Amino acid sequence: MKSLRKHWQFYLLIIPAVLYFIIFKYIPMLGSIIAFKDYNVVQGIWGSPWVGLKYFKLFFDNPAAWDLIKNTLFISFYGIVACFPLPIILALALNEIRQGRFKKFVQIVTYAPYFISTVVLVSMIIVLTSPRLGIFNHMLEAIGLPSINFMGDPGLFSSIYVWSDVWQFTGYSAVIYLAALSGIDTSLYEAAKIDGASRLQKIIHIDLPGIMPAITIILILTVGNIMGVGFEKIFLMQNPLNLETSEVLSTYVYKMGLLNANYSFAGAIGLFNSVVNLILLVMANIFAKRISGNSLW
């Protein structure tokens, strides 16, 4: 109470943020109860009859369930492998550039795609990969190769999704690491220069250890969201030809819950998804704390 009276201005500032999370994040969690009920609109959430684990069993008995989980995990792991290290490499490279104008130019070019909306980005992908009008197919035809229906090939869907993410988010993600690099004590570089360390040695022994806490935190959060592949972009990129690899848990929940009005079934899948993410987050945090000493809590 003494601290509250002394620093009441700071507590007042965090009240809106706390209320936001309580109202829009924690209270809606009560709605997860529909996963254990046979929900109908007339009786409401609390009046609908209990059915226990019926919808969880229904989901796992569905032959498509494991394909959905496999697609979700594959795209997520592919994304981590491709997207996670590149912002670190870009930040380290930019940190070594001494020419100010060129450095700013590279930052602008790599950062700008972040501001392109998902709808516009997917439209660009569809146009660029079009079998008749796409620039990629024109390039293939120019060297005597047949055109490819990129968006209709299930085997190419994951690569198109992930590498377009790389193009859009690498520059934005690098900003976090550049901020961490700017906080490293300059005396360390001066001491390394006196000792005759090369640029590569400075990166290995000064830069990487300096940004390791940021790398660890971002990796933990990324692992904790493995099952949460973005809905909007995948849904916009889907078509009947690539559903074999593009149907993931988030799009399936949308189709079952909103389009088919099977709210309890969709709620069960969504709850399973969230619990798995929570378990992965806790495990990644424990593992990171034991290995590097850095963690979320």
Side-chain angles (χ1 to χ4, degrees):
M1 291 300 293
K2 185 177 179 181
S3 175
L4 180 62
R5 287 194 297 270
K6 185 177 180 180
H7 304 290
W8 64 270
Q9 299 96 333
F10 299 113
Y11 288 101
L12 185 64
L13 286 173
I14 67 171
I15 285 176
V18 172
L19 288 175
Y20 167 79
F21 280 100
I22 291 174
I23 296 171
F24 295 104
K25 301 295 182 180
Y26 287 97
I27 292 179
M29 287 184 185
L30 297 173
S32 298
I33 199 173
I34 68 171
F36 306 96
K37 291 194 167 194
D38 190 8
Y39 174 76
N40 64 75
V41 179
V42 177
Q43 292 177 302
I45 294 177
W46 307 109
S48 299
W50 288 91
V51 293
L53 300 175
K54 172 186 173 181
Y55 289 106
F56 291 94
K57 293 177 181 177
L58 192 63
F59 173 64
F60 287 109
D61 288 340
N62 185 346
W66 300 109
D67 289 331
L68 295 171
I69 295 172
K70 180 190 71 175
N71 291 342
T72 304
L73 290 176
F74 179 77
I75 292 174
S76 293
F77 280 115
Y78 190 176
I80 292 174
V81 172
C83 299
F84 187 75
L86 289 178
I88 301 171
I89 295 170
L90 176 62
L92 292 171
L94 288 172
N95 192 53
E96 291 298 314
I97 296 176
R98 299 291 176 259
Q99 218 284 334
R101 288 185 178 179
F102 179 70
K103 183 176 181 178
K104 289 179 180 178
F105 173 75
V106 174
Q107 283 183 290
I108 291 171
V109 169
T110 56
Y111 190 74
Y114 174 75
F115 295 99
I116 299 174
S117 71
T118 304
V119 175
V120 173
L121 176 65
V122 174
S123 299
M124 290 170 59
I125 293 171
I126 292 172
V127 171
L128 291 172
T129 59
S130 170
R132 290 191 302 159
L133 305 174
I135 187 172
F136 295 121
N137 276 310
H138 283 316
M139 292 168 64
L140 290 174
E141 291 172 358
I143 58 176
L145 295 176
S147 62
I148 300 172
N149 184 3
F150 289 95
M151 296 301 291
D153 188 340
L156 295 175
F157 178 86
S158 299
S159 295
I160 296 172
Y161 177 88
V162 169
W163 290 106
S164 59
D165 264 4
V166 168
W167 176 74
Q168 186 174 24
F169 295 110
T170 296
Y172 173 77
S173 301
V175 172
I176 299 171
Y177 300 113
L178 284 169
L181 285 166
S182 67
I184 297 175
D185 190 351
T186 54
S187 64
L188 295 174
Y189 295 106
E190 294 170 1
K193 186 177 181 180
I194 293 171
D195 290 339
S198 65
R199 284 193 173 188
L200 183 60
Q201 288 173 324
K202 290 177 185 178
I203 291 173
I204 294 172
H205 299 290
I206 298 176
D207 292 342
L208 283 175
I211 63 174
M212 191 55 68
I215 293 174
T216 304
I217 297 302
I218 293 172
L219 181 60
I220 291 171
L221 293 173
T222 303
V223 171
N225 198 40
I226 278 179
M227 298 290 283
V229 178
F231 161 78
E232 186 179 10
K233 184 178 175 183
I234 285 188
F235 184 71
L236 291 172
M237 289 176 65
Q238 277 185 350
N239 61 57
L241 296 176
N242 63 30
L243 275 179
E244 179 185 339
T245 55
S246 67
E247 190 77 292
V248 295
L249 287 170
S250 58
T251 57
Y252 188 71
V253 166
Y254 166 75
K255 291 171 184 176
M256 294 302 297
L258 293 181
L259 299 186
N260 294 343
N262 198 343
Y263 303 111
S264 293
F265 185 54
I269 302 171
L271 184 59
F272 161 74
N273 199 12
S274 300
V275 170
V276 172
N277 276 334
L278 177 61
I279 293 171
L280 289 172
L281 177 66
V282 173
M283 289 175 63
N285 188 72
I286 293 171
F287 183 75
K289 192 171 185 179
R290 289 183 178 179
I291 298 298
S292 65
N294 301 307
S295 63
L296 284 174
W297 63 84

